Amino acid sequence: MDIGVKFCGGCNPMYDRGKLYRRIIEAFPEHSFEAADEAKKYETLLAICGCERACVNTDSYKKEKEIRIFQDTIPEI
Protein backbone atom coordinates (compact mmCIF):
# COMPACT_ATOMS: atom_id res chain seq x y z
CA MET A 1 0.00 0.00 0.00
CA ASP A 2 1.23 3.51 -0.79
CA ILE A 3 1.12 5.64 2.34
CA GLY A 4 1.44 9.42 2.27
CA VAL A 5 3.35 11.07 5.09
CA LYS A 6 2.88 14.67 6.26
CA PHE A 7 5.03 16.17 9.02
CA CYS A 8 4.03 18.89 11.47
CA GLY A 9 5.78 22.25 11.50
CA GLY A 10 8.53 21.09 13.85
CA CYS A 11 8.08 23.63 16.64
CA ASN A 12 9.28 21.04 19.19
CA PRO A 13 13.05 20.88 18.50
CA MET A 14 13.51 18.26 21.22
CA TYR A 15 11.62 15.67 19.17
CA ASP A 16 13.20 13.93 16.18
CA ARG A 17 10.30 13.33 13.78
CA GLY A 18 12.65 11.92 11.16
CA LYS A 19 13.85 9.24 13.56
CA LEU A 20 10.26 8.10 14.19
CA TYR A 21 9.61 8.09 10.43
CA ARG A 22 12.61 5.80 9.89
CA ARG A 23 11.35 3.48 12.64
CA ILE A 24 7.91 3.31 11.00
CA ILE A 25 9.45 2.45 7.60
CA GLU A 26 11.47 -0.34 9.25
CA ALA A 27 8.40 -1.65 11.11
CA PHE A 28 6.30 -1.88 7.93
CA PRO A 29 8.58 -2.99 5.06
CA GLU A 30 5.56 -4.29 3.13
CA HIS A 31 4.29 -0.72 2.59
CA SER A 32 5.60 2.10 0.43
CA PHE A 33 5.95 5.50 2.14
CA GLU A 34 6.27 8.84 0.39
CA ALA A 35 5.97 12.55 1.11
CA ALA A 36 2.27 13.30 0.82
CA ASP A 37 1.20 14.87 -2.46
CA GLU A 38 -2.05 16.87 -2.52
CA ALA A 39 -2.77 15.68 -6.07
CA LYS A 40 -2.70 11.99 -5.15
CA LYS A 41 -5.32 9.96 -3.24
CA TYR A 42 -4.02 7.76 -0.41
CA GLU A 43 -5.60 4.83 1.32
CA THR A 44 -3.73 5.97 4.43
CA LEU A 45 -2.16 9.32 5.30
CA LEU A 46 0.22 9.49 8.29
CA ALA A 47 0.43 12.84 10.05
CA ILE A 48 3.57 12.81 12.19
CA CYS A 49 3.14 15.29 15.05
CA GLY A 50 5.85 16.45 17.45
CA CYS A 51 3.45 17.32 20.26
CA GLU A 52 -0.18 17.00 21.35
CA ARG A 53 -1.03 20.32 19.69
CA ALA A 54 -1.00 18.45 16.36
CA CYS A 55 -0.76 21.59 14.23
CA VAL A 56 -0.28 19.69 10.98
CA ASN A 57 -3.10 20.51 8.56
CA THR A 58 -4.14 17.67 6.25
CA ASP A 59 -7.47 19.07 5.02
CA SER A 60 -6.23 19.48 1.43
CA TYR A 61 -5.06 15.86 1.13
CA LYS A 62 -7.23 13.11 -0.36
CA LYS A 63 -7.27 10.09 1.93
CA GLU A 64 -9.52 7.27 3.02
CA LYS A 65 -7.98 7.08 6.48
CA GLU A 66 -5.74 9.39 8.48
CA ILE A 67 -3.51 8.33 11.34
CA ARG A 68 -2.07 11.02 13.60
CA ILE A 69 1.10 9.96 15.35
CA PHE A 70 2.30 11.66 18.51
CA GLN A 71 5.94 11.40 19.50
CA ASP A 72 7.31 7.87 19.77
CA THR A 73 4.14 5.95 18.95
CA ILE A 74 4.35 3.30 16.21
CA PRO A 75 0.86 3.15 14.63
CA GLU A 76 -1.16 0.16 13.56
CA ILE A 77 -1.51 0.39 9.80
Side-chain angles (χ1 to χ4, degrees), residues 4-48:
V5 179
K6 176 74 175 153
F7 288 91
C8 70
C11 63
N12 181 359
M14 303 303 291
Y15 176 61
D16 187 348
R17 296 166 296 144
K19 182 178 178 182
L20 175 61
Y21 179 54
R22 290 186 294 277
R23 287 180 51 214
I24 291 169
I25 290 171
E26 290 173 4
F28 299 100
E30 68 276 16
H31 298 299
S32 174
F33 295 88
E34 63 182 59
D37 179 348
E38 292 178 341
K40 185 173 179 180
K41 183 175 181 181
Y42 296 97
E43 186 175 326
T44 300
L45 180 75
L46 294 182
I48 299 180

Side-chain angles (χ1 to χ4, degrees), residues 1-7 33-38 40-48 56-69 75-77:
M1 162 182 7
D2 288 337
I3 297 174
V5 179
K6 176 74 175 153
F7 288 91
F33 295 88
E34 63 182 59
D37 179 348
E38 292 178 341
K40 185 173 179 180
K41 183 175 181 181
Y42 296 97
E43 186 175 326
T44 300
L45 180 75
L46 294 182
I48 299 180
V56 62
N57 185 342
T58 60
D59 292 344
S60 61
Y61 293 89
K62 300 173 197 80
K63 70 269 186 191
E64 293 178 27
K65 176 172 80 171
E66 179 176 318
I67 300 172
R68 288 191 173 240
I69 302 166
E76 289 187 32
I77 296 178

